[in-house]
Amino acid sequence: MADQNCLIQARTTFDVLCKTFDSHGWSYERDSEKLKIKCSATGEDLPVSMTIVVDAERMLVTLASYIPVSVPQDKRIDVAIGVCKINDCLVDGSFDYDVIEGNVFFRMTNSFVESLLD
């Protein structure tokens, strides 16, 4: 369980994230109890949904985005190899791939230990 100082810093980080969304006029769902933000947007080629969670215990902000693709059974090993290659080239974040279900997610984390994200 996170101590009181961690909870205060997590709540402050969550509030800054929400104010940032508000200042840009972005629509989102806010769960103040779970320190979770859900939002979506339409990119040039596909819709993008994101969940941002502020983790008070680990002092992390995690962004997860489901990639709406359905990988056919016969291509899942090829996609696994491709995801590994892409992850090797990324500086921040990574793709998570479930080879059994064929689901792809993008995940990025950032620590807010003794800092304030803006």
Side-chain angles (χ1 to χ4, degrees):
M1 178 119 197
D3 68 25
Q4 191 62 27
N5 288 336
C6 292
L7 289 171
I8 290 169
Q9 193 169 358
R11 168 83 42 211
T12 300
T13 299
F14 179 77
D15 290 341
V16 166
L17 288 168
C18 290
K19 286 177 185 173
T20 300
F21 274 67
D22 292 340
S23 72
H24 287 81
W26 295 341
S27 299
Y28 63 98
E29 295 176 33
R30 171 187 183 140
D31 185 335
S32 298
E33 195 172 304
K34 294 181 180 178
L35 302 178
K36 183 186 290 188
I37 296 170
K38 289 186 176 184
C39 61
S40 61
T42 302
E44 290 181 21
D45 51 359
L46 53 108
V48 177
S49 64
M50 291 184 291
T51 301
I52 301 169
V53 178
V54 178
D55 183 335
E57 273 190 53
R58 297 187 295 171
M59 306 284 287
L60 294 174
V61 175
T62 301
L63 176 145
S65 179
Y66 172 72
I67 310 299
V69 296
S70 179
V71 179
Q73 183 76 32
D74 64 329
K75 297 293 183 188
R76 291 185 182 170
I77 298 301
D78 294 336
V79 171
I81 293 167
V83 166
C84 288
K85 179 63 178 160
I86 291 168
N87 281 341
D88 190 47
C89 299
L90 294 177
V91 175
D92 289 319
S94 64
F95 286 94
D96 295 338
Y97 178 59
D98 179 349
V99 73
I100 304 299
E101 299 294 326
N103 297 325
V104 182
F105 291 84
F106 180 76
R107 179 174 40 99
M108 180 181 276
T109 60
N110 198 350
S111 173
F112 58 87
V113 174
E114 298 182 14
S115 62
L116 182 60
L117 304 179
D118 66 3

